Amino acid sequence: QVQLVESGGGLVQAGGSLRLSCAASGLTFSSYTMGWFRQAPGKEREFVAAITRSGGSTSYVDSVKGRFTISRDNAKNTVYLQMNSLKPEDTAVYLCAATPHWRTAARSWGTGDIYYWGKGTLVTVSS
């Protein structure tokens, strides 16, 4: 059974930082592209970032470029999202995702690409 378990969310002031982690089990981690999506209250789930199987390439939505960094450790079956310079509009539930696919352009990513989802971790950024 595949499990993706997120951690690291919380309440932070604008301008602050958080580091999210997603621990994967039940799948061959190094065979999957890993990503992060987010869903704010009343809004659709949106793509945030993704990283290739080897970690050699990444993709980000424009709104987080230069502030967020996705990384992975295949030895630990874990993917990370370092979030800096957080803004109130970053407030959302952040969900870990696994897929065998890759999309270079952030606008090409959709929820239909995802094979496995985590349950999410809440990030709240206060102004």
Side-chain angles (χ1 to χ4, degrees):
Q1 181 182 358
V2 175
Q3 283 193 311
L4 303 177
V5 181
E6 303 93 336
S7 61
L11 174 64
V12 63
Q13 288 189 332
S17 297
L18 283 174
R19 188 193 195 204
L20 306 184
S21 299
C22 170
S25 61
L27 77 171
T28 305
F29 185 74
S30 60
S31 296
Y32 284 82
T33 294
M34 298 299 296
W36 291 92
F37 283 67
R38 66 186 179 186
Q39 189 162 18
K43 294 190 176 181
E44 292 186 353
R45 192 170 295 185
E46 67 166 349
F47 170 79
V48 176
I51 188 166
T52 53
R53 302 170 190 177
S54 66
S57 294
T58 56
S59 179
Y60 297 93
V61 68
D62 284 348
S63 60
V64 308
K65 282 181 180 177
R67 300 189 298 122
F68 290 11
T69 302
I70 188 170
S71 62
R72 66 189 295 162
D73 185 337
N74 285 348
K76 295 183 177 178
N77 287 2
T78 301
V79 62
Y80 306 96
L81 186 67
Q82 178 67 43
M83 305 186 296
N84 299 329
S85 302
L86 283 160
K87 303 176 181 180
E89 51 264 43
D90 294 319
T91 295
V93 173
Y94 283 72
L95 302 106
C96 182
T99 174
H101 306 306
W102 174 252
R103 307 278 185 260
T104 301
R107 65 180 179 274
S108 298
W109 283 98
T111 56
D113 291 318
I114 305 305
Y115 279 35
Y116 303 107
W117 291 100
K119 293 184 178 180
T121 185
L122 177 62
V123 172
T124 304
V125 184
S126 64
S127 57

